[in-house]
Amino acid sequence: MACRWQYRLSSEERWQWLPPEACDALTAAEDKAEHAAADARPASLSVPSLGLEVQLSTMSVILDGGTYGQVRKAPKWWGEDANLAAGVLVACEDGEAGARVLLGIEDRPWWPQKQAGPFWGFVEPTDADFPSAMAREATEETLDVLGGEAELRSCLQSDIYSAPVCCSPWHKGPNGEGLQVLRLVSLGSLKKQEQRAVQRSFLNRRSRALVIAAATVAHGCSQRTPPPHLEVEELHWCDAFPLLQSLEAGQPTRIGTAQRPLRGFVAELLQEGLQWPGAARFRDYCHGNFEVLRPMPHCKTLIPRLISEVGGSLAFTVCHRGRMRKGSW
């Protein structure tokens, strides 16, 4: 089978693989469409085993004469999973607390409460590889607070500036081995004020983006609020070592004073990582051995820029009972 294709019905959230014979037929039809005259190109392709038809000009699924889904080509490197996902775990060095990890707080209508997790999402067919997918997802979810997509991708492609966290037991590559779906990067040594600057900058950017999104909806350009890239509501720093201890003990992992659970099967992935020999650098870093992972190079200019961006909100003066006091948010 030269290429693999997927379909997704409008009533479903997840993609599914088309049978091999349909994939071969779609690949042949695509090749013919590239070289044949317009009037000689096939208009549609029937998939009897699924009871559907594919409209080739729009790559849409036709059922009972109506459009009910989409079809797309999947890269070979995806392996078995039709809904492959990947992500980035971001950390920093804190002189008082040791290693800390930055998690995104999200909400979904079907979740009983908000959940925390790394910057994680589905791989797209346009992603060249895992580092590209991870960088795209992380920059989208954090609104570029971690730097530009190209900067982040370069670090994720390097074993010097990133480290694998887990080898997924659910995602298998073409060679049958588990795929490394989560990688660790470091923002370097950050003081509490600098950590807060990362959080505050994100909140400022998200507030502006929500205003733009609301205006877009008002003009009838979109029906989804908030857009997918704004589903992360806030960023939260948590100490890495207690997090690892709870995972190693198999205890329910809760984040922050609000006791947010880890999102989806991230807890299981991190538990796998703690047992996987290939994640030794991840474990060492979380135990305070920061020499195993170099900070991302662009953080030297990124963190000062974020501090400058949030400006006076990091340090302010208040009047309390007639006395002037300085503080920080």
Side-chain angles (χ1 to χ4, degrees):
M1 183 171 59
C3 297
R4 293 187 303 168
W5 295 76
Q6 301 174 325
Y7 75 98
R8 181 178 66 183
L9 300 180
S10 301
S11 58
E12 299 176 0
E13 290 288 334
R14 302 181 69 81
W15 292 87
Q16 301 180 61
W17 294 115
L18 283 168
E21 62 275 11
C23 292
D24 291 340
L26 270 173
T27 301
E30 182 186 48
D31 183 66
K32 185 176 181 180
E34 291 180 357
H35 300 90
D39 56 356
R41 297 172 186 171
S44 62
L45 174 71
S46 178
V47 186
S49 60
L50 298 177
L52 55 83
E53 184 178 351
V54 177
Q55 186 71 35
L56 297 176
S57 61
T58 58
M59 284 301 170
S60 54
V61 175
I62 307 298
L63 281 173
D64 301 324
T67 302
Y68 287 98
Q70 300 170 286
V71 172
R72 70 180 186 182
K73 184 192 297 185
K76 296 179 182 179
W77 59 268
W78 275 19
E80 299 174 358
D81 200 326
N83 298 274
L84 187 60
V88 180
L89 186 63
V90 180
C92 80
E93 306 161 18
D94 185 306
E96 299 177 1
R100 308 198 83 198
V101 293
L102 183 66
L103 302 176
I105 307 299
E106 297 187 50
D107 197 6
R108 295 288 189 280
W110 55 91
W111 287 353
Q113 60 177 309
K114 295 180 181 180
Q115 298 184 13
F119 308 110
W120 175 276
F122 289 117
V123 178
E124 298 293 340
T126 52
D127 295 322
D129 49 28
F130 263 128
S132 298
M134 293 172 177
R136 175 187 54 76
E137 190 66 32
T139 52
E140 286 178 0
E141 291 199 345
T142 64
L143 304 177
D144 293 338
V145 162
L146 303 177
E149 185 174 335
E151 293 173 317
L152 193 55
R153 180 174 61 249
S154 176
C155 294
L156 290 164
Q157 290 171 335
S158 166
D159 286 329
I160 297 176
Y161 298 112
S162 68
V165 173
C166 64
C167 186
S168 173
W170 306 285
H171 305 77
K172 304 294 184 181
N175 59 2
E177 297 180 358
L179 297 174
Q180 297 177 17
V181 296
L182 187 64
R183 290 187 74 85
L184 175 74
V185 295
S186 170
L187 296 179
S189 178
L190 299 185
K191 299 176 182 178
K192 288 294 192 295
Q193 182 189 46
E194 295 170 322
Q195 295 173 38
R196 290 194 291 268
V198 174
Q199 295 171 288
R200 184 56 181 266
S201 178
F202 171 80
L203 290 177
N204 289 349
R205 296 179 188 207
R206 187 174 187 271
S207 295
R208 292 193 295 267
L210 283 172
V211 171
I212 296 173
T216 302
V217 172
H219 285 83
C221 299
S222 175
Q223 297 298 319
R224 181 171 181 178
T225 304
H229 68 287
L230 297 178
E231 289 175 341
V232 174
E233 298 182 1
E234 61 181 294
L235 304 183
H236 179 84
W237 287 102
C238 70
D239 297 340
F241 187 64
L243 175 64
L244 261 63
Q245 283 184 313
S246 64
L247 289 169
E248 289 176 330
Q251 299 173 347
T253 306
R254 301 288 175 174
I255 306 299
T257 55
Q259 294 291 286
R260 310 293 190 199
L262 278 177
R263 180 175 65 172
F265 56 86
V266 170
E268 296 177 60
L269 282 175
L270 291 175
Q271 286 174 328
E272 289 286 336
L274 293 174
Q275 301 173 17
W276 179 49
R281 291 170 62 206
F282 160 63
R283 295 191 297 272
D284 288 346
Y285 185 92
C286 291
H287 280 82
N289 182 8
F290 302 133
E291 295 181 357
V292 300
L293 181 64
R294 292 187 186 179
M296 295 187 289
H298 65 273
C299 291
K300 293 180 180 179
T301 57
L302 172 67
I303 301 302
R305 188 167 69 246
L306 296 181
I307 292 177
S308 176
E309 181 181 309
V310 299
S313 59
L314 281 173
F316 56 87
T317 302
V318 297
C319 182
H320 179 67
R321 294 184 180 178
R323 297 181 180 180
M324 301 303 290
R325 292 185 176 182
K326 291 185 177 180
S328 60
W329 58 268

